[in-house]
Amino acid sequence: MTDAMETSVEPKEDVPFLEKPLTDPEKSTKCPDDAPVTEDDSRDTRCGFWICKGPFLQRFATEKMYVVLYGFAGCVLVMTFSYFNGTITTMEKRYKIPTKISGIISVGNDISTMLTAAILGYYAGNGHRPRWMGVGLLTIVAFCLLTSSLHFIYGAGEDALKLTKQYGQVNETLAQQERDQKLCQSSAADCIQEVGQWVPQLILFVAQLISGVGQALFYTLGIAYMDDNGTKSKTPAMLSLSTFLRMLGPAIGYSLAAVCLRLYIEPTLDPLIGPTDPRWMGAWWLGWLGLAAITLISAVLLFMFPKELPSAKKRRQQVTQTESKDLKELSFWDLLKTVKRLANNKVYVFNTAASILYFFGYMAYWIFTPKYIETQYRQSAATATMAAGTVAFGFSAAGVLLSGYIISRYKPSARSMAAWNAIVDFMTVAGILCYVAIGCEGSDRMNSMTTLVAGDSCSASCHCDYVHYAPVCSPENVTYISACHAGCSERTKDDLGRTIYTGCKCITSGTLMSEPEHLYTVDGTCPVDCFHQFLTFLAVMCFLKLVGASSKSTNLLIALRCMPQEDKTFALGLGSMVASLFSFIPSPIFFGWLIDNYCLVWGKTCSNKGNCWLYDTKSLRYALNLTAASFIFVGGFLNIAVWYYAKNLKIFDEDENIEDNNIEMKEKCVKSESRQ
């Protein structure tokens, strides 16, 4: 949800980047007159702040250094959101959060982005933009620390501690009660008390709200600063490089999540279960501490960048050496006029609408792909996170680099770029339809059997409504929600150290096995092999990442070239606000609600139904993918409208080579004068 707000306005003649050369190199060899440089101008182009403004730092005030720094900072920013998405299923288990609520939490940053992007882009865009971007990154540091603080406030939780060796040693009475609660009870079991579960949810939401302000400042100002301080011929390469560096963020963020989730939520304790057990909770909180530190470093580096690059100031002074640059008066009425001007531009409107529909449909995969892999293909949280992040986003980075090279090499027209955006939409729809067909029969069958077991009248007499999800497997390879749901009455261990539940009267229901030796279950889910289907899904996902990323640069270039120079920062902020309102905010909530509708087993508590432990995978696969594909399909037709109205849009200037020669001539003359 970052560089997505690409929009469109007809280009004006008086653009600030050397639209026309001041001298004709074929008719004159005189050097252009230098514009007077004031002390304020000199300060605006110097790196550093306060006492850190030495000569050594000034060598870093270049376009290339900004692109690298902006890409690095963007990488760190995306790492934080990717890490959140990679650990969200674990946080759902820890704090018993339904998917619908986690969807609401995840859009907190988009709510604050929507409320602040346009205003910050309008006013902060006329100030020291790198420093405002540094302030934005400081809010991300606060987001990281606030999120991780939950673990230090609430600890690992009793559910996780019960599954460790040390738990029985610390409190054998509670451990015995927990073991008894899993078995068939003669009377109704007490409901599970959960005190203050809404507080962690509120803290997570507030943290997301804070991060949205930083996101709005960073992306709205950063892209405009890059375009304002570079030549148009170099913009595609600069965008591709910064986007490539930023695309490394999800890969690193998801990899960090995978590493942390392989550790138990309380690393100092010895768990009794493995990472493949659905009850496993990893150390989700650990990565936030490292992310806070590296984000702080990025903020300091950005804060030291100059208000304007020296090379950009030279180009601007050549264009405006005979005219003083009028500072636009910032007023609310002028803001409304700008909105009206942008709303009358068809390329801007259709491009924004197409982006909104694409993001609405694809947001489900950005946030819930790890959960999808866990539920559909029975993979561990660490494996799902690694696949969704590191592997898939490697193809995204390749797509960005490839598209950047093609655009810089062949300089396609605006219509060609818009056409490619539409083709990408339709190819994405085709790939999502493949997701529907890639199901795991064993997983689907296991869930359907568990559903029948949950509604069995036999287990109803055992009063299992508030028993924790603790799956057991029968000799017939049927998974039961718990030993209680199987009607088991005794608990022992076999020679291999496995937990065995015996006297399980409910496993004979609907079967031919009634002999006492078959009335037992083994702790854990029945084995299901979905690895082949998982690899097929991963291959399709990587292809879609490669194709989808190739349209990032084309979409962003259309956005930057379709609006007047003076409206650029505000237009990007307005587009971000509109996309948040109609896409980034409602989409996770909608798809979270959709996923919850196909939940089969809830972790019930006294006050609410808690988190979902088991889903109807087949129905969920059809509903989720077909719904997402529908939105993206409609967005493809809006990109066709962008193609139609972008026929007069200029991406590259014809006279850029002449301008570059003019700048080089001036620099040579300045050097010769200094020697004299």
Side-chain angles (χ1 to χ4, degrees):
M1 18 178 157
T2 60
D3 34 51
M5 306 316 38
E6 298 77 353
T7 45
S8 313
V9 185
E10 294 299 325
K12 288 190 174 182
E13 292 297 326
D14 53 343
V15 295
F17 291 143
L18 300 175
E19 190 78 18
K20 298 177 182 178
L22 294 174
T23 61
D24 188 343
E26 295 182 357
K27 296 181 179 180
S28 174
T29 58
K30 293 183 178 180
C31 296
D33 296 332
D34 289 332
V37 179
T38 65
E39 185 178 351
D40 291 338
D41 289 340
S42 177
R43 285 199 296 265
D44 288 344
T45 58
R46 289 180 62 83
C47 277
F49 61 94
W50 195 34
I51 61 175
C52 301
K53 285 188 175 181
F56 175 77
L57 294 176
Q58 308 317 313
R59 69 184 66 185
F60 299 106
T62 62
E63 296 176 25
K64 292 181 180 179
M65 184 55 63
Y66 173 77
V67 171
V68 172
L69 179 57
Y70 178 71
F72 172 74
C75 174
V76 174
L77 180 62
V78 177
M79 280 171 59
T80 61
F81 295 110
S82 301
Y83 186 83
F84 180 86
N85 292 339
T87 57
I88 192 170
T89 56
T90 300
M91 288 190 287
E92 287 177 1
K93 296 176 187 178
R94 169 62 187 92
Y95 301 106
K96 294 180 173 54
I97 305 174
T99 306
K100 178 178 65 176
I101 301 300
S102 65
I104 295 175
I105 292 172
S106 66
V107 303
N109 66 84
D110 296 299
I111 293 176
S112 55
T113 296
M114 177 197 68
L115 297 176
T116 61
I119 302 299
L120 290 175
Y122 186 73
Y123 289 102
N126 291 276
H128 198 302
R129 287 179 286 189
R131 290 185 183 174
W132 276 108
M133 293 161 63
V135 172
L137 289 181
L138 291 179
T139 66
I140 304 299
V141 175
F143 159 61
C144 297
L145 296 178
L146 191 59
T147 303
S148 64
S149 68
L150 284 179
H151 178 77
F152 301 101
I153 296 173
Y154 292 96
E158 192 172 350
D159 289 347
L161 296 177
K162 289 174 182 176
L163 298 173
T164 62
K165 294 180 180 179
Q166 290 82 357
Y167 182 82
Q169 299 172 3
V170 174
N171 197 328
E172 181 60 33
T173 303
L174 289 177
Q176 183 63 43
Q177 292 176 355
E178 174 63 18
R179 289 195 293 267
D180 292 342
Q181 192 182 38
K182 295 179 181 178
L183 306 182
C184 184
Q185 304 290 315
S186 58
S187 59
D190 294 334
C191 65
I192 301 171
Q193 294 287 345
E194 291 292 344
V195 181
Q197 284 300 314
W198 61 272
V199 178
Q201 299 175 19
L202 179 61
I203 293 177
L204 290 173
F205 182 75
V206 171
Q208 288 284 336
L209 281 176
I210 294 174
S211 70
V213 178
Q215 178 178 261
L217 283 169
F218 183 81
Y219 288 116
T220 302
L221 302 179
I223 296 175
Y225 183 88
M226 180 189 300
D227 196 50
D228 288 347
N229 286 271
T231 56
K232 290 187 177 181
S233 60
K234 297 179 181 179
T235 299
M238 292 167 60
L239 288 176
S240 297
L241 177 58
S242 64
T243 304
F244 169 74
L245 294 174
R246 196 161 61 247
M247 292 301 295
L248 297 177
I252 301 174
Y254 278 110
S255 298
L256 179 62
V259 171
C260 293
L261 292 179
R262 285 192 174 94
L263 301 173
Y264 200 57
I265 189 171
E266 190 58 60
T268 59
L269 302 181
D270 299 319
L272 297 171
I273 58 176
T276 57
D277 193 294
R279 294 167 292 174
W280 175 275
M281 284 186 275
W284 63 270
W285 54 273
L286 195 58
W288 289 115
L289 303 180
L291 289 172
I294 195 172
T295 305
L296 179 61
I297 295 174
S298 303
V300 173
L301 293 177
L302 261 181
F303 203 81
M304 299 177 69
F305 229 76
K307 182 177 181 180
E308 185 178 19
L309 294 179
S311 57
K313 181 175 285 291
K314 289 180 182 179
R315 290 191 295 267
R316 178 171 58 81
Q317 288 173 345
Q318 289 184 69
V319 176
T320 60
Q321 67 182 110
T322 57
E323 301 175 1
S324 62
K325 183 177 179 180
D326 296 329
L327 294 177
K328 183 171 59 175
E329 182 181 356
L330 303 179
S331 66
F332 178 73
W333 296 111
D334 185 67
L335 185 147
L336 292 180
K337 291 178 182 178
T338 305
V339 172
K340 182 178 179 181
R341 185 163 60 247
L342 294 174
N344 289 331
N345 189 296
K346 292 183 174 61
V347 181
Y348 179 90
V349 172
F350 283 116
N351 194 45
T352 303
S355 298
I356 288 173
L357 288 172
Y358 179 85
F359 293 132
F360 194 102
Y362 215 78
M363 277 292 291
Y365 304 102
W366 283 338
I367 297 178
F368 299 121
T369 292
K371 173 187 282 289
Y372 185 87
I373 294 175
E374 288 181 52
T375 57
Q376 292 287 334
Y377 308 111
R378 304 293 166 184
Q379 301 299 308
S380 67
T383 301
T385 301
M386 182 67 73
T390 306
V391 178
F393 278 97
F395 284 82
S396 295
V400 169
L401 286 180
L402 181 62
S403 63
Y405 169 77
I406 293 176
I407 293 172
S408 300
R409 176 70 175 80
Y410 297 102
K411 292 183 170 54
S413 64
R415 271 198 157 186
S416 298
M417 294 183 179
W420 176 246
N421 291 341
I423 293 173
V424 168
D425 283 350
F426 294 127
M427 292 177 69
T428 301
V429 172
I432 292 177
L433 294 179
C434 292
Y435 288 169
V436 178
I438 307 172
C440 181
E441 184 180 353
S443 178
D444 295 342
R445 184 173 60 252
M446 188 184 79
N447 288 348
S448 63
M449 294 295 290
T450 306
T451 308
L452 296 175
V453 170
D456 197 339
S457 58
C458 173
S459 61
S461 62
C462 290
H463 308 286
C464 306
D465 286 345
Y466 295 103
V467 173
H468 283 291
Y469 178 68
V472 294
C473 181
S474 74
E476 292 183 302
N477 208 38
V478 175
T479 299
Y480 291 76
I481 298 172
S482 70
C484 180
H485 289 83
C488 305
S489 57
E490 300 293 335
R491 178 179 183 272
T492 61
K493 286 185 178 292
D494 63 5
D495 297 336
L496 299 177
R498 298 179 305 174
T499 301
I500 305 295
Y501 298 95
T502 57
C504 307
K505 59 182 180 180
C506 295
I507 68 173
T508 60
S509 301
T511 71
L512 299 177
M513 287 184 165
S514 57
E515 294 79 3
E517 60 268 21
H518 294 294
L519 302 181
Y520 74 91
T521 58
V522 181
D523 195 23
T525 58
C526 296
V528 176
D529 185 10
C530 298
F531 192 69
H532 177 73
Q533 291 85 347
F534 166 63
L535 291 180
T536 306
F537 170 83
L538 184 60
V540 176
M541 181 174 64
C542 289
F543 173 75
L544 291 185
K545 292 290 185 182
L546 177 68
V547 173
S550 67
S551 65
K552 285 183 175 291
S553 297
T554 54
N555 201 17
L556 187 54
L557 278 172
I558 291 176
L560 293 174
R561 296 294 178 261
C562 66
M563 60 190 76
Q565 168 68 21
E566 64 270 17
D567 295 339
K568 186 181 302 179
T569 303
F570 174 73
L572 291 174
L574 179 64
S576 178
M577 183 187 73
V578 173
S580 296
L581 179 62
F582 294 106
S583 180
F584 298 140
I585 293 175
S587 177
I589 299 174
F590 170 77
F591 282 105
W593 167 83
L594 182 69
I595 292 172
D596 278 348
N597 277 350
Y598 295 95
C599 181
L600 300 177
V601 179
W602 289 99
K604 292 183 180 179
T605 64
C606 295
S607 56
N608 57 55
K609 56 187 178 182
N611 62 295
C612 182
W613 287 103
L614 202 63
Y615 293 91
D616 180 356
T617 53
K618 184 176 181 179
S619 300
L620 176 60
R621 185 169 63 253
Y622 277 84
L624 177 67
N625 293 311
L626 292 178
T627 303
S630 300
F631 286 100
I632 299 175
F633 183 73
V634 176
F637 287 99
L638 293 179
N639 268 321
I640 293 177
V642 176
W643 169 85
Y644 178 79
Y645 288 108
K647 53 188 174 182
N648 296 323
L649 185 62
K650 243 167 75 166
I651 301 294
F652 303 97
D653 288 339
E654 297 175 357
D655 54 352
E656 284 180 342
N657 292 333
I658 300 177
E659 295 167 355
D660 292 339
N661 292 335
N662 192 42
I663 296 174
E664 293 177 1
M665 182 187 68
K666 179 184 175 181
E667 292 177 348
K668 291 179 181 179
C669 291
V670 171
K671 290 180 181 179
S672 63
E673 290 177 356
S674 63
R675 292 173 181 173
Q676 296 175 359

